[in-house]
């Protein structure tokens, strides 16, 4: 016999800024070169829905994420929240105005032209910090030691 007891539907949403420092290589078009400024912040939007079990949907303002990166993010979310990896969807908006991302979540070391001197938007932090620590004071999306 099927249990027909009503289950509450719970939902929550969050947004984290994932804009990298100025100066990294841009993705999307050949010969783009390095980012020279920020017009709009890049974000990762997340929705979690629970009705018996929980699912999470995350969409990042990036051109793409390599499969290895998606798997790594799923493992980190499962460890932090208990949501099973199989119940987590990671997608990208296919943004042609975002950074190049390699399979470890870093800006690519590939340079289209010489690096510009630091500006007020450039920080001396690790090249991975823009992705792993999306908002100052927030918990990391993924551990940068994995």
């Amino acid at each position: 016999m099927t249990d027909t007891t009503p289950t509450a539907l719970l939902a929550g949403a969050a947004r984290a800024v994932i804009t990298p420092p100025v100066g990294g290589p841009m993705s999307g078009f050949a010969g783009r070169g390095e980012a020279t400024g920020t017009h709009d912040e890049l974000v990762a939007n997340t929705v979690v829905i629970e009705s018996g079990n929980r699912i999470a949907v995350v969409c990042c303002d990036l051109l793409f994420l390599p499969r290895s990166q998606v798997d790594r993010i799923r493992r980190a979310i499962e460890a932090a929240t208990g949501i099973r990896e199989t119940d987590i969807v990671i997608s990208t908006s296919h943004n042609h105005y975002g950074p190049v991302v390699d399979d470890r979540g870093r800006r690519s070391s590939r340079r289209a032209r010489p690096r510009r001197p630091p500006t007020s938007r450039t920080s001396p932090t690790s090249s991975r910090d823009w992705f792993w620590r999306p908002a100052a004071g927030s918990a990391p999306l993924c551990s940068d030691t994995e």
Side-chain angles (χ1 to χ4, degrees):
M1 180 171 213
T2 304
D3 182 8
T4 59
T5 305
T7 304
L9 176 65
L10 304 172
R15 172 177 285 173
V17 174
I18 60 170
T19 306
V22 172
M26 300 288 289
S27 65
F29 302 102
R32 294 282 310 275
E34 296 178 347
T36 59
T38 301
H39 185 275
D40 295 311
E41 298 287 357
L42 301 177
V43 297
N45 291 304
T46 304
V47 175
V48 175
I49 301 169
E50 182 174 357
S51 180
N53 66 321
R54 286 184 296 168
I55 63 166
V57 179
V58 181
C59 184
C60 302
D61 282 338
L62 299 169
L63 183 61
F64 74 96
L65 281 169
R67 178 61 187 242
S68 60
Q69 189 65 23
V70 170
D71 292 342
R72 192 169 172 207
I73 294 168
R74 282 184 176 142
R75 286 192 303 272
I77 292 171
E78 180 177 33
T81 66
I83 301 172
R84 296 182 312 226
E85 284 184 53
T86 56
D87 293 335
I88 300 168
V89 176
I90 308 288
S91 67
T92 62
S93 61
H94 198 79
N95 181 352
H96 280 253
Y97 293 93
V100 172
V101 178
D102 71 13
D103 67 351
R104 297 274 301 160
R106 295 177 289 214
R107 291 179 294 145
S108 173
S109 60
R110 177 175 57 111
R111 299 273 181 227
R113 48 185 142 140
R115 185 165 181 92
R116 288 182 169 72
T119 66
S120 61
R121 291 269 310 151
T122 305
S123 74
T125 59
S126 159
S127 63
R128 287 190 278 188
D129 285 349
W130 72 268
F131 188 78
W132 298 119
R133 302 186 192 287
S138 69
L141 176 61
C142 196
S143 168
D144 59 3
T145 58
E146 289 182 14

